[in-house]
Amino acid sequence: MNELILHETALAMVAPGKGILAADESTGTIEKRFKSVGVENTESNRRAYRDLLFTAEGGQQWISGVILFEETLFQATRDGTPFPQYLASRGMVPGIKVDKGAKPLAGAPGETVTEGLDGLRERLAKFKQIGTRFAKWRAVITIGDGIPSDYCIGVNAHALARYAALCQEADIVPIVEPEVLMDADNTIEVCENVTDRTLAAVFHELFTQRVLLEGMILKPNLVIAGKKNPWQADRKTVAEATLRVLKRRVPAAVPGIAFLSGGQSDEDATAHLDQIHKLGGGPWLLSFSYGRALQAAALKAWGGRAENVAAAQRAFLHRARMNGLAASGRWESALEQAA
Ligand code: 13P
């Protein structure tokens, strides 16, 4: 393990005013996204769509790195440059989602555990060879009647730490993503409590399994009421609750925290990150690692048609810029109207 390489890569991923594009939708997930805009889920459409995101002119001003799905790692731009090589040449760090998805957890109805540890060491060695410098593993924690259980939180935290240790052994920076879903009807207080329990378990396991905190990035959810709850806290309350939990549970040695968007509206995802900065942030660099909140507008503008690529790139660059500004507390809602 090269501590310096890990630390420098982690810092580059959360460079001030920049953040990560999560474009690592599995074939099943991108099918859902494509279906919503009437695009057929073929290999060539997936390549064309990722191509338009990665080649958008000037994207590197706001995007520090891109998380790829395994298939994309072996695809190339229109002129034949492999995507990882192309991204690196433009100053965007290429990364890879290595987990195999959340599967039903035995004996725990309604809860999941993320799989993918078997053979991970060998896969990481292969990814490293083709230029991958960071990885992602997403654990899913569901809020519901009597859940999450400590059992579910515990096994997911354990797997996250096992993954992170293997990544660091290969000089690959692990993005550690314990996602507390925001899909239920719970209050913000419940989300705060569950996020608190989850992060406590995750950092306990990271410590036990000797993960170098200086060489990782945390990717958490915001502390926010469930989407089905009609009573939503204002943006400042969300930002305050999120910072409160992070300050309690995330050691200052962690270089950066990059939030997931989790189904918030595009503007909420931007505004919450901005508000967190305007409240003074914390001892870590605070940024974004958004999938939907960076891509939804672009996907809609594209609709699978070559003649819409320029419009889709404009839509993507707008969100990238808004989130880049938010990542240093310089976003204003007037900038959205101006666009
Ligand atoms: P969202 O920003 O759409 O939640 O996706 C981020 C991600 O990578 C989830 O694993």
Side-chain angles (χ1 to χ4, degrees):
M1 175 168 85
N2 186 323
E3 299 188 2
L4 197 63
I5 287 181
L6 289 169
H7 188 56
E8 282 180 352
T9 303
L11 286 176
M13 290 161 65
V14 286
K18 292 187 186 190
I20 298 163
L21 165 63
D24 60 326
E25 298 84 2
S26 64
T27 307
T29 300
I30 200 77
E31 166 131 11
K32 276 192 260 169
R33 307 272 189 268
F34 277 7
K35 215 175 220 164
S36 72
V37 294
V39 176
E40 203 191 338
N41 188 21
T42 61
E43 208 240 92
S44 74
N45 279 340
R46 292 193 293 273
R47 195 214 63 78
Y49 176 59
R50 268 71 186 242
D51 190 298
L52 88 78
L53 294 175
F54 305 163
T55 62
E57 195 72 38
Q60 71 274 20
Q61 194 182 340
W62 318 105
I63 302 296
S64 58
V66 181
I67 318 175
L68 305 170
F69 183 58
E70 198 164 335
E71 175 189 75
T72 319
L73 204 58
F74 299 96
Q75 290 176 326
T77 60
R78 261 158 307 169
D79 65 10
T81 313
F83 279 136
Q85 207 175 307
Y86 173 80
L87 290 168
S89 75
R90 289 193 46 207
M92 295 182 276
V93 186
I96 169 89
K97 184 235 297 291
V98 298
D99 70 66
K100 299 267 188 186
K103 305 288 160 63
L105 176 62
E111 299 193 283
T112 63
V113 63
T114 299
E115 297 188 348
L117 289 169
D118 287 354
L120 182 56
R121 174 179 278 128
E122 292 73 24
R123 287 171 64 222
L124 286 167
K126 185 178 76 174
F127 298 147
K128 173 81 196 202
Q129 254 183 358
I130 46 178
T132 310
R133 291 167 56 202
F134 72 89
K136 180 191 111 173
W137 179 291
R138 171 175 176 258
V140 179
I141 307 297
T142 306
I143 296 179
D145 213 9
I147 61 172
S149 63
D150 288 339
Y151 164 37
C152 170
I153 290 175
V155 292
N156 276 292
H158 190 267
L160 272 168
R162 283 201 60 202
Y163 138 83
L166 283 165
C167 285
Q168 292 190 337
E169 183 188 77
D171 294 332
I172 289 179
V173 171
I175 292 184
V176 172
E177 179 179 6
E179 175 175 5
V180 177
L181 294 179
M182 45 184 90
D183 298 337
D185 62 357
N186 57 280
T187 62
I188 185 171
E189 287 81 9
V190 168
C191 180
E192 179 164 351
N193 176 267
V194 172
T195 305
D196 190 57
R197 281 166 63 200
T198 301
L199 291 176
V202 167
F203 280 94
H204 174 74
E205 285 293 346
L206 292 171
F207 167 73
T208 305
Q209 299 188 43
R210 306 175 185 174
V211 172
L212 179 78
L213 297 184
E214 290 83 351
M216 63 164 275
I217 298 292
L218 178 72
K219 176 165 173 169
N221 52 281
L222 286 171
V223 173
I224 193 168
K227 252 191 286 185
K228 293 194 189 117
N229 188 332
W231 195 87
Q232 292 291 324
D234 61 51
R235 288 168 174 171
K236 185 154 174 266
T237 303
V238 169
E240 283 168 349
T242 302
L243 275 173
R244 187 161 55 234
V245 173
L246 292 175
K247 283 178 180 171
R248 275 191 198 135
R249 297 300 173 198
V250 185
V254 172
I257 296 177
F259 295 100
L260 59 93
S261 62
Q264 300 167 76
S265 72
D266 293 355
E267 193 170 320
D268 276 349
T270 303
H272 284 139
L273 176 60
D274 184 69
Q275 186 61 242
I276 283 169
H277 278 277
K278 289 195 166 112
L279 287 174
W284 341 264
L285 289 160
L286 287 156
S287 182
F288 59 90
S289 174
Y290 292 162
R292 283 162 285 180
L294 274 171
Q295 295 184 48
L299 183 63
K300 201 164 155 217
W302 177 55
R305 306 170 78 91
E307 64 268 30
N308 295 339
V309 165
Q313 289 182 324
R314 276 196 301 277
F316 168 65
L317 288 171
H318 174 64
R319 292 276 28 108
R321 178 166 160 259
M322 293 299 101
N323 287 308
L325 291 171
S328 48
R330 291 183 296 141
W331 176 81
E332 304 289 340
S333 69
L335 293 170
E336 301 283 352
Q337 277 95 58

